[in-house]
């Protein structure tokens, strides 16, 4: 498909379980972002990749969260030892590398809804 | 302090009427971009419209227009001729700097739930 693809769409995890969420960005998009959206809230930034380089991980809430994009395309967000407060929708977005003074929109996937029980 | 404030948790509008969704922002960066996204129940964020801080004219995209008042730091979304399919969550977002804060991440408001009545 032409859009950003995320899998799985839904994930139920038992507390303490590790999970891996996948994002397949639009082909050729250099920038990739992960956001966390709690129920009734707007998305909050987690981390940013430019190609395979993780340039910003300031939004990751704890060291249980880890993201990678080893070949500069598909990205995986891993959460270790999940806690109930990790329950949220995890959104992935990609965009073309933008140049100074210009802006390009970010294209979002449908998200993965994680429920920790 | 909130960087993006959306004061309307929910709004109702009659089909075919216009509606304005409010958004105020806070930044000291002279260069920034403002975005509106629509999030239907399916979950994906759909880009609607963009306004750059140096743009002289208000942005328009079909039935969507952005009422940009720089001095007031407001960027309200106007939807004309509402349709039933416009019922969704609407998020205002900002990206700071020419390259954006943190290389371009968006800062979102809490959203407004729009319900269009037939």
């Amino acid at each position: 498909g032409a859009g950003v693809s995320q899998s799985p769409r839904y994930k139920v995890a038992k507390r303490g379980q590790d999970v891996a969420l996948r994002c397949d960005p639009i082909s050729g998009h250099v920038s990739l972002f992960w956001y966390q959206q709690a129920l009734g809230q707007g998305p909050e930034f987690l981390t940013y990749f430019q190609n395979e380089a993780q340039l910003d991980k300031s939004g990751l809430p704890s060291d249980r969260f880890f993201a990678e994009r080893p070949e500069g395309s598909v990205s995986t967000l891993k959460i270790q030892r999940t806690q109930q407060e990790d329950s949220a929708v995890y959104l992935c977005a990609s965009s073309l590398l933008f140049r100074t003074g210009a802006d390009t929109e970010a294209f979002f996937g449908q998200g993965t809804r994680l429920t920790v029980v | 302090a909130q960087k993006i404030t959306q004061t309307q948790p929910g709004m109702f509008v009659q089909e075919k009427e216009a509606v304005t969704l409010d958004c105020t922002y806070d930044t000291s960066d002279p260069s920034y971009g403002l975005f509106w996204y629509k999030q239907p129940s399916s979950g994906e964020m759909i880009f609607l419209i963009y306004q750059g801080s140096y743009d002289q004219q208000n942005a328009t995209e079909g039935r969507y227009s952005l009422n940009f008042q720089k001095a007031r730091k407001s960027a309200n979304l106007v939807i004309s001729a509402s349709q039933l399919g416009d019922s969704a969550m609407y998020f205002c977002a900002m990206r700071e700097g020419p390259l954006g804060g943190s290389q371009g991440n968006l800062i979102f408001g809490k959203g407004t739930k729009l319900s269009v009545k037939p």
Side-chain angles (χ1 to χ4, degrees), chain A residues 9 33 35 37 40-45 48 50 55-56 58 91 98-110, chain B residues 32-33 35 37 39 42-45 47 50 91 95 97-111:
Chain A
R9 286 293 315 278
F33 304 84
Y35 292 85
Q37 186 176 18
Q41 302 293 317
E44 292 194 355
F45 169 76
Y48 164 72
Q50 185 173 308
L55 298 186
D56 190 338
S58 63
L91 293 165
F98 49 88
R99 297 169 180 80
T100 303
D103 275 88
T104 59
E105 63 190 269
F107 294 85
F108 283 79
Q110 288 188 300
Chain B
Y32 52 90
F35 300 75
Y37 281 86
Q39 188 177 44
S42 58
E44 73 178 291
M45 302 287 279
F47 167 76
Y50 164 77
F91 290 95
R95 183 162 67 206
L99 291 180
S102 298
Q103 303 296 321
N105 65 288
L106 295 166
I107 303 165
F108 287 86
K110 291 182 184 287

Side-chain angles (χ1 to χ4, degrees), chain B residues 9-21:
Chain B
M11 288 281 286
F12 288 91
V13 65
Q14 202 69 37
E15 193 179 7
K16 299 180 185 176
E17 291 186 352
V19 62
T20 298
L21 306 184

Side-chain angles (χ1 to χ4, degrees), chain A residues 27-86:
Chain A
S27 178
H29 278 195
V30 170
S31 298
L32 186 146
F33 304 84
W34 282 99
Y35 292 85
Q36 179 190 59
Q37 186 176 18
L39 190 63
Q41 302 293 317
E44 292 194 355
F45 169 76
L46 292 177
T47 187
Y48 164 72
F49 289 87
Q50 185 173 308
N51 294 310
E52 69 279 1
Q54 188 175 21
L55 298 186
D56 190 338
K57 52 183 180 180
S58 63
L60 296 176
S62 78
D63 58 8
R64 296 185 296 103
F65 286 71
F66 171 76
E68 60 183 6
R69 193 186 184 197
E71 296 178 359
S73 56
V74 171
S75 177
T76 304
L77 176 67
K78 297 179 179 177
I79 309 173
Q80 296 177 323
R81 304 181 303 281
T82 51
Q83 304 292 317
Q84 280 195 315
E85 61 262 29
D86 301 335

Side-chain angles (χ1 to χ4, degrees), chain B residues 55-105:
Chain B
D55 293 344
Q56 295 295 316
Q57 292 187 326
N58 286 346
T60 60
E61 289 284 349
R63 293 186 299 110
Y64 305 107
S65 60
L66 201 151
N67 184 2
F68 181 45
Q69 298 187 45
K70 197 170 182 177
R72 293 186 175 184
K73 294 189 174 178
S74 77
N76 298 340
L77 176 70
V78 180
I79 305 174
S80 62
S82 298
Q83 302 172 355
L84 295 178
D86 293 336
S87 294
M89 285 292 291
Y90 288 80
F91 290 95
C92 179
M94 177 174 66
R95 183 162 67 206
E96 294 173 299
L99 291 180
S102 298
Q103 303 296 321
N105 65 288

